[in-house]
Amino acid sequence: MRALAKAQPNIALIKYWGKRDIERNLPAVGSLSITLESLWTTMSVEFLPTLEQDRFSLNGTPCDALLSRVSRCLDRVAGDARDRAAVASECNFPIAAGLASSASAFAALALAASEAAGERLDAPSLARVAGSISGSAARSVFGGFVELSAGADDIEVRSLAAPEAWPLCVVVAVTALEPKPIASGDAMIRGAQSSPFYPRWIAQQTEDLKAARAAVASHDFARLAAVAEHNCLKMHSVMWTSRPPIVYWNSVTLACMQAVRALRANGHSVFFTIDAGPQVKAVCLPEHADTVAAALGDIDGVAQILISGLGPGARLLDGG
Ligand code: DP6
């Protein structure tokens, strides 16, 4: 049987950075994110007894770079004695440039594989499968505001609020389209081994999660802005102080951050967050999205502006 699923990337406001168990890909900290709406990935999966090897294509072209992680995800769902599978993915945004393409990919893949294998895993189980391949993917199983807790034995992911409960907007300023210099997982491991800031980063996360959770519950934008920007800059401080250092930003990244701060000083409800890449994600109230997009779009070196509201979690589509 063939199954087709769709998922959106998510943007962490309180970041996952660090692994407690590298083998099982368990995060060292909890995280809190928003799932986007207008960027998406679809995955179609068909297990075929006639295939000798898994096959994976991305936007119509065979893609071997991701094949081993795709195969591992299929094994987690259907066991390693399963039939091999033909997997085809479509994605409407740049991959591997710090736009969370692996999050939407593995959330969609876990769901499509579970349906194609006749397993029908529930959402918490799908989140564990997706998260074991890419930590942030666990959060894209759910929509709106999502919290991932780094539980004692495994991750637990839950929805904090539906997308429509507090319809924030995200304006993404794409400042470079090349793939990132180092994968986030490898960068995290380096940070844990070498940054003097890493222990403080871990120690303060519970506090940041608590503040962000309260801000989401009370729709307190200023409080969310303060804790999210601080948390993002702490994560990047761990990267910068790793040995050798990891700097994902470019000069345009910094110009975008300054523009966001200037907009906020002028009364606009907006804050920035940045992941393992040079893109700046400006989170704002919907009534400020056009102004934020225009201001970021005017910056020299911004290659593309993407705008998204908040969206649902991974789901099956007809036509599998
Ligand atoms: C900076 O989920 O890509 O985006 O588990 O090694 O695949 P792996 O890492 P990944 O890391 C995401 C890091 C981040 C922050 C976040 O999304 O929370």
Side-chain angles (χ1 to χ4, degrees):
M1 174 187 168
R2 213 171 87 148
L4 180 66
K6 183 173 187 177
Q8 277 84 250
N10 67 79
I11 306 291
L13 306 182
I14 303 298
K15 308 290 189 188
Y16 149 48
W17 197 254
K19 295 178 193 284
R20 175 160 58 88
D21 181 332
I22 296 172
E23 202 57 36
R24 295 177 64 205
N25 203 39
L26 293 179
V29 287
S31 52
L32 190 153
S33 61
I34 44 181
T35 302
L36 302 185
E37 183 184 31
S38 55
L39 315 185
W40 50 258
T41 303
T42 60
M43 285 276 178
S44 123
V45 176
E46 187 171 22
F47 291 102
L48 293 165
T50 48
L51 278 184
E52 289 191 358
Q53 284 181 341
D54 291 328
R55 284 206 308 240
F56 176 61
S57 70
L58 179 59
N59 294 335
T61 308
C63 172
D64 288 341
L66 274 181
L67 184 60
S68 66
R69 288 166 97 197
V70 166
S71 295
R72 237 178 327 125
C73 188
L74 299 172
D75 290 348
R76 293 274 150 84
V77 172
D80 36 14
R82 65 180 169 80
D83 287 338
R84 300 301 98 181
V87 180
S89 180
E90 303 284 332
C91 181
N92 77 339
F93 61 98
I95 63 156
L99 283 175
S101 53
S102 62
S104 46
F106 291 109
L109 181 60
L111 178 58
S114 140
E115 179 74 7
E119 295 284 339
R120 299 276 172 112
L121 297 178
D122 62 10
S125 310
L126 288 171
R128 282 189 202 104
V129 169
S132 73
I133 309 300
S134 185
S136 53
R139 299 183 310 237
S140 277
V141 170
F142 294 84
F145 295 80
V146 178
E147 181 168 358
L148 183 153
S149 310
D153 190 44
D154 210 333
I155 56 165
E156 275 167 35
V157 187
R158 68 188 173 112
S159 164
L160 290 180
E164 53 282 0
W166 194 21
L168 300 181
C169 256
V170 179
V171 177
V172 182
V174 178
T175 68
L177 285 164
E178 304 88 62
K180 50 191 162 195
I182 171 169
S184 38
D186 296 334
M188 286 178 202
I189 294 167
R190 188 188 295 175
Q193 288 167 347
S194 61
S195 168
F197 295 172
Y198 185 78
R200 290 295 288 156
W201 157 254
I202 300 292
Q204 290 183 357
Q205 190 78 343
T206 307
E207 220 172 282
D208 287 3
L209 282 166
K210 190 172 160 203
R213 214 182 289 125
V216 169
S218 57
H219 299 187
D220 184 339
F221 193 90
R223 190 174 183 194
L224 186 61
V227 70
E229 278 193 3
H230 183 63
N231 187 269
C232 163
L233 292 173
K234 280 194 294 187
M235 177 185 75
H236 284 275
S237 303
V238 171
M239 299 172 184
W240 283 43
T241 50
S242 297
R243 290 187 181 195
I246 298 155
V247 179
Y248 286 110
W249 303 354
N250 57 40
S251 57
V252 187
T253 311
L254 209 52
C256 291
M257 291 161 74
Q258 280 163 339
V260 166
R261 293 203 146 193
L263 284 164
R264 194 158 71 241
N266 282 332
H268 294 90
S269 295
V270 58
F271 64 86
F272 64 74
T273 190
I274 304 159
D275 293 300
Q279 329 308 356
V280 176
K281 290 115 185 189
V283 181
C284 62
L285 293 179
E287 56 267 36
H288 295 151
D290 287 346
T291 312
V292 171
L296 295 178
D298 272 352
I299 293 171
D300 264 358
V302 169
Q304 203 181 343
I305 291 286
L306 307 166
I307 304 181
S308 179
L310 305 191
R315 62 224 175 269
L316 292 166
L317 299 181
D318 289 340

